[in-house]
Amino acid sequence: MNTDGMAEPLDDRDFLILDSVRDLYESVDPMPAEMLDEIRFALALEHLETEVARASDLAEAMTRGGENRRLITFESERMTIVIGVQDDDGTIRLDGWLTPPGAHRVELHVPTGVITTSADEQGRFSIDGIVRSSAYLTVRLAQPQTALRAVTTPTVNL
């Protein structure tokens, strides 16, 4: 028995107990057969209005003072998103540019939640103090001209 408060790794006995709990719940309250189809349908509807950008360029750039900065370009049919990722005293600073420009809402999705900011009329935005992690951006269009409401990027490591 562990008395120092530290969690021990799971062993075969733990997995046997967890399997038994799963079997119990599956017999007492099984998932409805149509639930997976309903989830897939809801997700498909949600993404009808979202375009996925692809990473088209990953580059290391030297800035003044010798600081390393990564530039990442994402492109979709209707938008280009360029972000500069810079290590700033142990946290990350993200500078971004959107084309076409506009005061769009920008969401940075990180494991701990969503950080929201707005681009200015020229499509520029920045976010400071980000903990190094994987993340993706969603740009919510200020004035959608079509059914498209947002553009999202794939996940990248900041």
Side-chain angles (χ1 to χ4, degrees), residues 30-73:
M31 179 175 65
E34 66 279 351
M35 183 174 234
L36 286 178
D37 289 335
E38 290 174 8
I39 291 170
R40 286 185 188 108
F41 180 72
L43 289 173
L45 282 180
E46 179 181 325
H47 293 290
L48 280 177
E49 299 175 343
T50 302
E51 187 172 79
V52 179
R54 68 184 188 291
S56 64
D57 188 22
L58 300 148
E60 295 283 332
M62 291 297 290
T63 59
R64 283 176 265 158
E67 299 168 348
N68 283 329
R69 179 184 182 109
R70 290 187 302 147
L71 294 176
I72 306 171
T73 303

mmCIF file of all heavy atoms in Angstrom, residues 30-73:
data_model
loop_
_atom_site.group_PDB
_atom_site.id
_atom_site.type_symbol
_atom_site.label_atom_id
_atom_site.label_comp_id
_atom_site.label_asym_id
_atom_site.label_seq_id
_atom_site.Cartn_x
_atom_site.Cartn_y
_atom_site.Cartn_z
ATOM 1 N N PRO A 30 -26.908 0.115 -21.066
ATOM 2 C CA PRO A 30 -26.127 0.127 -22.309
ATOM 3 C C PRO A 30 -26.359 1.401 -23.128
ATOM 4 O O PRO A 30 -27.413 2.034 -23.017
ATOM 5 C CB PRO A 30 -26.619 -1.114 -23.050
ATOM 6 C CG PRO A 30 -27.988 -1.351 -22.521
ATOM 7 C CD PRO A 30 -27.982 -0.869 -21.092
ATOM 8 N N MET A 31 -25.370 1.736 -23.926
ATOM 9 C CA MET A 31 -25.491 2.878 -24.822
ATOM 10 C C MET A 31 -26.527 2.541 -25.891
ATOM 11 O O MET A 31 -26.503 1.446 -26.454
ATOM 12 C CB MET A 31 -24.132 3.167 -25.476
ATOM 13 C CG MET A 31 -24.169 4.323 -26.434
ATOM 14 S SD MET A 31 -22.551 4.755 -27.101
ATOM 15 C CE MET A 31 -22.140 3.295 -28.048
ATOM 16 N N PRO A 32 -27.454 3.478 -26.189
ATOM 17 C CA PRO A 32 -28.437 3.208 -27.242
ATOM 18 C C PRO A 32 -27.743 2.933 -28.577
ATOM 19 O O PRO A 32 -26.742 3.572 -28.909
ATOM 20 C CB PRO A 32 -29.249 4.502 -27.315
ATOM 21 C CG PRO A 32 -29.038 5.160 -25.981
ATOM 22 C CD PRO A 32 -27.659 4.749 -25.536
ATOM 23 N N ALA A 33 -28.268 2.013 -29.344
ATOM 24 C CA ALA A 33 -27.644 1.588 -30.596
ATOM 25 C C ALA A 33 -27.483 2.741 -31.576
ATOM 26 O O ALA A 33 -26.504 2.808 -32.315
ATOM 27 C CB ALA A 33 -28.470 0.469 -31.235
ATOM 28 N N GLU A 34 -28.417 3.696 -31.581
ATOM 29 C CA GLU A 34 -28.366 4.794 -32.540
ATOM 30 C C GLU A 34 -27.511 5.972 -32.074
ATOM 31 O O GLU A 34 -27.332 6.939 -32.811
ATOM 32 C CB GLU A 34 -29.785 5.269 -32.876
ATOM 33 C CG GLU A 34 -30.535 5.908 -31.719
ATOM 34 C CD GLU A 34 -31.176 4.894 -30.754
ATOM 35 O OE1 GLU A 34 -31.196 3.693 -31.033
ATOM 36 O OE2 GLU A 34 -31.653 5.335 -29.705
ATOM 37 N N MET A 35 -26.967 5.920 -30.878
ATOM 38 C CA MET A 35 -26.243 7.065 -30.329
ATOM 39 C C MET A 35 -25.024 7.469 -31.160
ATOM 40 O O MET A 35 -24.806 8.656 -31.408
ATOM 41 C CB MET A 35 -25.812 6.802 -28.893
ATOM 42 C CG MET A 35 -25.128 7.979 -28.241
ATOM 43 S SD MET A 35 -24.804 7.652 -26.526
ATOM 44 C CE MET A 35 -25.587 9.085 -25.818
ATOM 45 N N LEU A 36 -24.217 6.521 -31.615
ATOM 46 C CA LEU A 36 -23.045 6.861 -32.422
ATOM 47 C C LEU A 36 -23.435 7.555 -33.723
ATOM 48 O O LEU A 36 -22.800 8.538 -34.125
ATOM 49 C CB LEU A 36 -22.204 5.621 -32.714
ATOM 50 C CG LEU A 36 -21.383 5.085 -31.545
ATOM 51 C CD1 LEU A 36 -20.634 3.823 -31.953
ATOM 52 C CD2 LEU A 36 -20.418 6.129 -31.033
ATOM 53 N N ASP A 37 -24.494 7.088 -34.369
ATOM 54 C CA ASP A 37 -24.958 7.746 -35.594
ATOM 55 C C ASP A 37 -25.435 9.164 -35.309
ATOM 56 O O ASP A 37 -25.192 10.076 -36.095
ATOM 57 C CB ASP A 37 -26.079 6.936 -36.247
ATOM 58 C CG ASP A 37 -25.574 5.646 -36.859
ATOM 59 O OD1 ASP A 37 -24.372 5.586 -37.215
ATOM 60 O OD2 ASP A 37 -26.375 4.700 -36.980
ATOM 61 N N GLU A 38 -26.116 9.363 -34.178
ATOM 62 C CA GLU A 38 -26.577 10.709 -33.816
ATOM 63 C C GLU A 38 -25.399 11.640 -33.536
ATOM 64 O O GLU A 38 -25.430 12.813 -33.924
ATOM 65 C CB GLU A 38 -27.500 10.635 -32.599
ATOM 66 C CG GLU A 38 -28.839 10.002 -32.912
ATOM 67 C CD GLU A 38 -29.702 9.807 -31.677
ATOM 68 O OE1 GLU A 38 -29.336 10.290 -30.581
ATOM 69 O OE2 GLU A 38 -30.756 9.171 -31.808
ATOM 70 N N ILE A 39 -24.366 11.142 -32.891
ATOM 71 C CA ILE A 39 -23.176 11.950 -32.618
ATOM 72 C C ILE A 39 -22.494 12.319 -33.926
ATOM 73 O O ILE A 39 -22.120 13.473 -34.142
ATOM 74 C CB ILE A 39 -22.211 11.203 -31.674
ATOM 75 C CG1 ILE A 39 -22.827 11.093 -30.279
ATOM 76 C CG2 ILE A 39 -20.849 11.897 -31.622
ATOM 77 C CD1 ILE A 39 -22.067 10.175 -29.340
ATOM 78 N N ARG A 40 -22.309 11.344 -34.811
ATOM 79 C CA ARG A 40 -21.684 11.620 -36.112
ATOM 80 C C ARG A 40 -22.479 12.662 -36.901
ATOM 81 O O ARG A 40 -21.919 13.559 -37.519
ATOM 82 C CB ARG A 40 -21.549 10.330 -36.914
ATOM 83 C CG ARG A 40 -20.465 9.417 -36.407
ATOM 84 C CD ARG A 40 -20.291 8.195 -37.324
ATOM 85 N NE ARG A 40 -19.389 7.251 -36.732
ATOM 86 C CZ ARG A 40 -19.747 6.081 -36.217
ATOM 87 N NH1 ARG A 40 -21.000 5.677 -36.259
ATOM 88 N NH2 ARG A 40 -18.847 5.275 -35.676
ATOM 89 N N PHE A 41 -23.808 12.550 -36.871
ATOM 90 C CA PHE A 41 -24.654 13.493 -37.590
ATOM 91 C C PHE A 41 -24.503 14.901 -36.999
ATOM 92 O O PHE A 41 -24.356 15.879 -37.736
ATOM 93 C CB PHE A 41 -26.116 13.041 -37.521
ATOM 94 C CG PHE A 41 -27.058 13.955 -38.243
ATOM 95 C CD1 PHE A 41 -27.081 13.997 -39.629
ATOM 96 C CD2 PHE A 41 -27.925 14.775 -37.537
ATOM 97 C CE1 PHE A 41 -27.947 14.836 -40.298
ATOM 98 C CE2 PHE A 41 -28.791 15.617 -38.201
ATOM 99 C CZ PHE A 41 -28.814 15.655 -39.589
ATOM 100 N N ALA A 42 -24.502 15.020 -35.684
ATOM 101 C CA ALA A 42 -24.349 16.332 -35.037
ATOM 102 C C ALA A 42 -23.000 16.952 -35.368
ATOM 103 O O ALA A 42 -22.907 18.148 -35.648
ATOM 104 C CB ALA A 42 -24.520 16.181 -33.530
ATOM 105 N N LEU A 43 -21.946 16.148 -35.360
ATOM 106 C CA LEU A 43 -20.622 16.669 -35.699
ATOM 107 C C LEU A 43 -20.551 17.097 -37.157
ATOM 108 O O LEU A 43 -19.954 18.116 -37.486
ATOM 109 C CB LEU A 43 -19.542 15.626 -35.402
ATOM 110 C CG LEU A 43 -19.275 15.358 -33.924
ATOM 111 C CD1 LEU A 43 -18.315 14.179 -33.766
ATOM 112 C CD2 LEU A 43 -18.729 16.589 -33.238
ATOM 113 N N ALA A 44 -21.161 16.330 -38.035
ATOM 114 C CA ALA A 44 -21.170 16.694 -39.454
ATOM 115 C C ALA A 44 -21.898 18.023 -39.660
ATOM 116 O O ALA A 44 -21.450 18.878 -40.418
ATOM 117 C CB ALA A 44 -21.815 15.593 -40.278
ATOM 118 N N LEU A 45 -23.028 18.234 -38.981
ATOM 119 C CA LEU A 45 -23.752 19.500 -39.101
ATOM 120 C C LEU A 45 -22.915 20.663 -38.597
ATOM 121 O O LEU A 45 -22.891 21.737 -39.198
ATOM 122 C CB LEU A 45 -25.060 19.438 -38.300
ATOM 123 C CG LEU A 45 -26.211 18.689 -38.936
ATOM 124 C CD1 LEU A 45 -27.418 18.717 -38.015
ATOM 125 C CD2 LEU A 45 -26.565 19.270 -40.286
ATOM 126 N N GLU A 46 -22.221 20.456 -37.484
ATOM 127 C CA GLU A 46 -21.398 21.512 -36.912
ATOM 128 C C GLU A 46 -20.292 21.936 -37.871
ATOM 129 O O GLU A 46 -19.962 23.103 -37.978
ATOM 130 C CB GLU A 46 -20.785 21.030 -35.591
ATOM 131 C CG GLU A 46 -19.900 22.055 -34.925
ATOM 132 C CD GLU A 46 -19.306 21.526 -33.633
ATOM 133 O OE1 GLU A 46 -19.991 20.756 -32.928
ATOM 134 O OE2 GLU A 46 -18.162 21.881 -33.340
ATOM 135 N N HIS A 47 -19.723 20.984 -38.593
ATOM 136 C CA HIS A 47 -18.587 21.280 -39.456
ATOM 137 C C HIS A 47 -18.976 21.690 -40.873
ATOM 138 O O HIS A 47 -18.110 22.037 -41.664
ATOM 139 C CB HIS A 47 -17.622 20.100 -39.475
ATOM 140 C CG HIS A 47 -16.952 19.898 -38.147
ATOM 141 N ND1 HIS A 47 -16.027 20.765 -37.647
ATOM 142 C CD2 HIS A 47 -17.135 18.963 -37.196
ATOM 143 C CE1 HIS A 47 -15.641 20.375 -36.449
ATOM 144 N NE2 HIS A 47 -16.302 19.282 -36.161
ATOM 145 N N LEU A 48 -20.274 21.686 -41.195
ATOM 146 C CA LEU A 48 -20.693 22.145 -42.516
ATOM 147 C C LEU A 48 -20.323 23.606 -42.733
ATOM 148 O O LEU A 48 -20.052 24.027 -43.845
ATOM 149 C CB LEU A 48 -22.206 21.981 -42.683
ATOM 150 C CG LEU A 48 -22.696 20.588 -43.024
ATOM 151 C CD1 LEU A 48 -24.221 20.570 -43.080
ATOM 152 C CD2 LEU A 48 -22.113 20.110 -44.334
ATOM 153 N N GLU A 49 -20.313 24.391 -41.651
ATOM 154 C CA GLU A 49 -20.045 25.814 -41.754
ATOM 155 C C GLU A 49 -18.593 26.155 -41.446
ATOM 156 O O GLU A 49 -18.244 27.306 -41.297
ATOM 157 C CB GLU A 49 -20.967 26.579 -40.806
ATOM 158 C CG GLU A 49 -22.430 26.384 -41.147
ATOM 159 C CD GLU A 49 -23.353 27.043 -40.159
ATOM 160 O OE1 GLU A 49 -22.907 27.369 -39.041
ATOM 161 O OE2 GLU A 49 -24.518 27.241 -40.498
ATOM 162 N N THR A 50 -17.739 25.148 -41.306
ATOM 163 C CA THR A 50 -16.339 25.363 -40.966
ATOM 164 C C THR A 50 -15.459 24.780 -42.066
ATOM 165 O O THR A 50 -15.645 23.654 -42.493
ATOM 166 C CB THR A 50 -15.986 24.679 -39.625
ATOM 167 O OG1 THR A 50 -16.836 25.202 -38.612
ATOM 168 C CG2 THR A 50 -14.549 24.920 -39.244
ATOM 169 N N GLU A 51 -14.512 25.584 -42.509
ATOM 170 C CA GLU A 51 -13.548 25.142 -43.509
ATOM 171 C C GLU A 51 -12.246 24.810 -42.784
ATOM 172 O O GLU A 51 -11.851 25.524 -41.865
ATOM 173 C CB GLU A 51 -13.330 26.288 -44.500
ATOM 174 C CG GLU A 51 -12.488 25.930 -45.682
ATOM 175 C CD GLU A 51 -12.491 27.074 -46.684
ATOM 176 O OE1 GLU A 51 -11.758 28.046 -46.471
ATOM 177 O OE2 GLU A 51 -13.245 26.982 -47.670
ATOM 178 N N VAL A 52 -11.596 23.741 -43.178
ATOM 179 C CA VAL A 52 -10.341 23.336 -42.546
ATOM 180 C C VAL A 52 -9.177 23.789 -43.419
ATOM 181 O O VAL A 52 -9.112 23.462 -44.604
ATOM 182 C CB VAL A 52 -10.284 21.813 -42.318
ATOM 183 C CG1 VAL A 52 -8.963 21.410 -41.689
ATOM 184 C CG2 VAL A 52 -11.449 21.360 -41.453
ATOM 185 N N ALA A 53 -8.278 24.568 -42.809
ATOM 186 C CA ALA A 53 -7.080 25.023 -43.521
ATOM 187 C C ALA A 53 -6.011 23.958 -43.403
ATOM 188 O O ALA A 53 -6.008 23.157 -42.474
ATOM 189 C CB ALA A 53 -6.599 26.340 -42.918
ATOM 190 N N ARG A 54 -5.079 23.955 -44.342
ATOM 191 C CA ARG A 54 -3.965 23.004 -44.266
ATOM 192 C C ARG A 54 -2.677 23.792 -44.076
ATOM 193 O O ARG A 54 -2.554 24.922 -44.550
ATOM 194 C CB ARG A 54 -3.895 22.135 -45.514
ATOM 195 C CG ARG A 54 -3.513 22.889 -46.763
ATOM 196 C CD ARG A 54 -3.561 22.006 -48.004
ATOM 197 N NE ARG A 54 -3.016 22.676 -49.144
ATOM 198 C CZ ARG A 54 -3.571 23.702 -49.764
ATOM 199 N NH1 ARG A 54 -4.712 24.184 -49.334
ATOM 200 N NH2 ARG A 54 -3.003 24.260 -50.803
ATOM 201 N N ALA A 55 -1.733 23.183 -43.368
ATOM 202 C CA ALA A 55 -0.431 23.824 -43.177
ATOM 203 C C ALA A 55 0.304 23.775 -44.498
ATOM 204 O O ALA A 55 0.518 22.713 -45.061
ATOM 205 C CB ALA A 55 0.358 23.120 -42.085
ATOM 206 N N SER A 56 0.681 24.938 -45.008
ATOM 207 C CA SER A 56 1.351 24.962 -46.305
ATOM 208 C C SER A 56 2.813 25.353 -46.205
ATOM 209 O O SER A 56 3.574 25.137 -47.115
ATOM 210 C CB SER A 56 0.629 25.922 -47.258
ATOM 211 O OG SER A 56 0.702 27.240 -46.763
ATOM 212 N N ASP A 57 3.195 25.953 -45.078
ATOM 213 C CA ASP A 57 4.581 26.390 -44.956
ATOM 214 C C ASP A 57 4.960 26.457 -43.491
ATOM 215 O O ASP A 57 4.276 27.083 -42.691
ATOM 216 C CB ASP A 57 4.747 27.773 -45.602
ATOM 217 C CG ASP A 57 6.204 28.202 -45.695
ATOM 218 O OD1 ASP A 57 7.087 27.326 -45.664
ATOM 219 O OD2 ASP A 57 6.440 29.411 -45.788
ATOM 220 N N LEU A 58 6.043 25.792 -43.149
ATOM 221 C CA LEU A 58 6.609 25.849 -41.801
ATOM 222 C C LEU A 58 8.037 26.333 -41.958
ATOM 223 O O LEU A 58 8.813 25.721 -42.675
ATOM 224 C CB LEU A 58 6.598 24.463 -41.148
ATOM 225 C CG LEU A 58 5.218 23.834 -40.998
ATOM 226 C CD1 LEU A 58 5.308 22.321 -41.100
ATOM 227 C CD2 LEU A 58 4.625 24.227 -39.673
ATOM 228 N N ALA A 59 8.368 27.437 -41.330
ATOM 229 C CA ALA A 59 9.708 27.997 -41.514
ATOM 230 C C ALA A 59 10.253 28.541 -40.210
ATOM 231 O O ALA A 59 9.516 29.027 -39.371
ATOM 232 C CB ALA A 59 9.660 29.116 -42.561
ATOM 233 N N GLU A 60 11.567 28.422 -40.067
ATOM 234 C CA GLU A 60 12.276 29.063 -38.963
ATOM 235 C C GLU A 60 12.765 30.405 -39.463
ATOM 236 O O GLU A 60 13.304 30.504 -40.560
ATOM 237 C CB GLU A 60 13.482 28.223 -38.518
ATOM 238 C CG GLU A 60 13.131 26.882 -37.942
ATOM 239 C CD GLU A 60 12.621 26.961 -36.520
ATOM 240 O OE1 GLU A 60 13.006 27.899 -35.801
ATOM 241 O OE2 GLU A 60 11.830 26.094 -36.137
ATOM 242 N N ALA A 61 12.562 31.428 -38.700
ATOM 243 C CA ALA A 61 13.002 32.760 -39.127
ATOM 244 C C ALA A 61 13.887 33.357 -38.036
ATOM 245 O O ALA A 61 13.632 33.169 -36.860
ATOM 246 C CB ALA A 61 11.799 33.661 -39.375
ATOM 247 N N MET A 62 14.910 34.045 -38.451
ATOM 248 C CA MET A 62 15.750 34.775 -37.508
ATOM 249 C C MET A 62 15.236 36.204 -37.438
ATOM 250 O O MET A 62 15.044 36.847 -38.463
ATOM 251 C CB MET A 62 17.209 34.762 -37.957
ATOM 252 C CG MET A 62 17.863 33.401 -37.874
ATOM 253 S SD MET A 62 17.950 32.766 -36.203
ATOM 254 C CE MET A 62 19.175 33.854 -35.502
ATOM 255 N N THR A 63 14.993 36.665 -36.228
ATOM 256 C CA THR A 63 14.552 38.039 -36.065
ATOM 257 C C THR A 63 15.689 38.860 -35.490
ATOM 258 O O THR A 63 16.740 38.338 -35.137
ATOM 259 C CB THR A 63 13.340 38.105 -35.105
ATOM 260 O OG1 THR A 63 13.726 37.549 -33.850
ATOM 261 C CG2 THR A 63 12.164 37.333 -35.671
ATOM 262 N N ARG A 64 15.474 40.160 -35.371
ATOM 263 C CA ARG A 64 16.504 41.010 -34.779
ATOM 264 C C ARG A 64 16.859 40.504 -33.394
ATOM 265 O O ARG A 64 16.013 40.048 -32.658
ATOM 266 C CB ARG A 64 15.993 42.448 -34.685
ATOM 267 C CG ARG A 64 16.031 43.135 -36.029
ATOM 268 C CD ARG A 64 15.445 44.495 -35.917
ATOM 269 N NE ARG A 64 14.041 44.316 -36.303
ATOM 270 C CZ ARG A 64 13.048 45.113 -35.992
ATOM 271 N NH1 ARG A 64 13.258 46.171 -35.284
ATOM 272 N NH2 ARG A 64 11.836 44.866 -36.375
ATOM 273 N N GLY A 65 18.116 40.582 -33.046
ATOM 274 C CA GLY A 65 18.566 40.109 -31.744
ATOM 275 C C GLY A 65 18.864 38.631 -31.722
ATOM 276 O O GLY A 65 19.177 38.079 -30.690
ATOM 277 N N GLY A 66 18.725 37.944 -32.869
ATOM 278 C CA GLY A 66 19.074 36.531 -32.953
ATOM 279 C C GLY A 66 18.027 35.597 -32.385
ATOM 280 O O GLY A 66 18.291 34.421 -32.201
ATOM 281 N N GLU A 67 16.825 36.090 -32.086
ATOM 282 C CA GLU A 67 15.793 35.225 -31.542
ATOM 283 C C GLU A 67 15.230 34.330 -32.635
ATOM 284 O O GLU A 67 15.013 34.782 -33.755
ATOM 285 C CB GLU A 67 14.664 36.072 -30.958
ATOM 286 C CG GLU A 67 15.102 36.975 -29.842
ATOM 287 C CD GLU A 67 14.023 37.988 -29.488
ATOM 288 O OE1 GLU A 67 13.047 38.127 -30.257
ATOM 289 O OE2 GLU A 67 14.168 38.640 -28.460
ATOM 290 N N ASN A 68 14.991 33.082 -32.310
ATOM 291 C CA ASN A 68 14.359 32.175 -33.264
ATOM 292 C C ASN A 68 12.852 32.348 -33.198
ATOM 293 O O ASN A 68 12.276 32.474 -32.134
ATOM 294 C CB ASN A 68 14.715 30.718 -32.963
ATOM 295 C CG ASN A 68 16.104 30.384 -33.434
ATOM 296 O OD1 ASN A 68 16.583 30.942 -34.408
ATOM 297 N ND2 ASN A 68 16.751 29.487 -32.734
ATOM 298 N N ARG A 69 12.242 32.335 -34.338
ATOM 299 C CA ARG A 69 10.801 32.484 -34.447
ATOM 300 C C ARG A 69 10.332 31.557 -35.561
ATOM 301 O O ARG A 69 10.907 31.540 -36.628
ATOM 302 C CB ARG A 69 10.476 33.934 -34.783
ATOM 303 C CG ARG A 69 9.033 34.218 -34.946
ATOM 304 C CD ARG A 69 8.887 35.683 -35.373
ATOM 305 N NE ARG A 69 7.508 35.995 -35.492
ATOM 306 C CZ ARG A 69 6.843 36.782 -34.670
ATOM 307 N NH1 ARG A 69 7.469 37.365 -33.684
ATOM 308 N NH2 ARG A 69 5.570 37.010 -34.849
ATOM 309 N N ARG A 70 9.317 30.791 -35.288
ATOM 310 C CA ARG A 70 8.746 29.925 -36.320
ATOM 311 C C ARG A 70 7.586 30.640 -36.982
ATOM 312 O O ARG A 70 6.767 31.253 -36.317
ATOM 313 C CB ARG A 70 8.219 28.625 -35.709
ATOM 314 C CG ARG A 70 9.282 27.704 -35.223
ATOM 315 C CD ARG A 70 8.724 26.368 -34.782
ATOM 316 N NE ARG A 70 7.736 26.541 -33.727
ATOM 317 C CZ ARG A 70 6.654 25.768 -33.558
ATOM 318 N NH1 ARG A 70 6.422 24.777 -34.383
ATOM 319 N NH2 ARG A 70 5.818 25.975 -32.575
ATOM 320 N N LEU A 71 7.537 30.548 -38.294
ATOM 321 C CA LEU A 71 6.404 31.063 -39.047
ATOM 322 C C LEU A 71 5.657 29.880 -39.646
ATOM 323 O O LEU A 71 6.262 29.004 -40.265
ATOM 324 C CB LEU A 71 6.870 31.997 -40.165
ATOM 325 C CG LEU A 71 7.521 33.296 -39.720
ATOM 326 C CD1 LEU A 71 8.023 34.069 -40.929
ATOM 327 C CD2 LEU A 71 6.550 34.139 -38.920
ATOM 328 N N ILE A 72 4.354 29.853 -39.443
ATOM 329 C CA ILE A 72 3.532 28.768 -39.959
ATOM 330 C C ILE A 72 2.413 29.394 -40.786
ATOM 331 O O ILE A 72 1.730 30.312 -40.320
ATOM 332 C CB ILE A 72 2.935 27.916 -38.829
ATOM 333 C CG1 ILE A 72 4.043 27.408 -37.899
ATOM 334 C CG2 ILE A 72 2.123 26.755 -39.400
ATOM 335 C CD1 ILE A 72 3.511 26.748 -36.635
ATOM 336 N N THR A 73 2.237 28.903 -41.997
ATOM 337 C CA THR A 73 1.181 29.390 -42.875
ATOM 338 C C THR A 73 0.138 28.290 -43.066
ATOM 339 O O THR A 73 0.486 27.146 -43.348
ATOM 340 C CB THR A 73 1.754 29.798 -44.248
ATOM 341 O OG1 THR A 73 2.761 30.787 -44.048
ATOM 342 C CG2 THR A 73 0.670 30.353 -45.158
#
